[in-house]
Amino acid sequence: MSAQPDHTPATPYAPAPGAPAELLAQLRADRRAERWVPAFEAEWAAALEESRRTFSLTTLYEVVHVWQARLVSAPAVDAFVASGHDESGFVDVAEFRGRRHR
């Protein structure tokens, strides 16, 4: 019998080696930089620590992917907010949780 696993786990898509630095430059150039840069840096630092502890790059890849998605979707979010769509029909999760725990 072989000690090899009978399946191979899916390897997450690996961003380019310079992707985190490029992403940080894009975040610094964004109008939300004051909030986004510290948030990215905190998530990146936590992912680095996780990577050191687990010897896995998965968390680092996930941070890059999430922040890339935020940057890509930001113009659509801005356009939606600027359009004046009524958001009153959406569920307020905090309010929902408060009702549920009463």
Side-chain angles (χ1 to χ4, degrees), residues 15-23:
E22 182 180 315
L23 180 58

Side-chain angles (χ1 to χ4, degrees), residues 41-52:
E41 289 174 338
E43 287 182 31
W44 185 253
L48 276 174
E49 188 56 39
E50 175 77 9
S51 178
R52 287 184 187 113

Side-chain angles (χ1 to χ4, degrees), residues 12-100:
Y13 164 75
E22 182 180 315
L23 180 58
L24 186 55
Q26 291 173 336
L27 291 171
R28 287 182 175 142
D30 192 273
R31 68 178 181 82
R32 301 164 192 83
E34 187 176 306
R35 289 182 323 238
W36 280 14
V37 169
F40 171 77
E41 289 174 338
E43 287 182 31
W44 185 253
L48 276 174
E49 188 56 39
E50 175 77 9
S51 178
R52 287 184 187 113
R53 191 176 56 73
T54 63
F55 298 100
S56 171
L57 298 175
T58 302
T59 307
L60 292 168
Y61 294 167
E62 288 172 354
V63 169
V64 170
H65 291 289
V66 165
W67 281 96
Q68 286 172 333
R70 285 182 181 143
L71 273 174
V72 168
S73 64
V77 172
D78 290 343
F80 177 80
V81 170
S83 72
H85 281 77
D86 180 13
E87 298 178 35
S88 62
F90 290 99
V91 174
D92 181 353
V93 175
E95 183 180 327
F96 175 74
R97 287 182 182 146
R99 287 182 191 168
R100 201 173 82 194

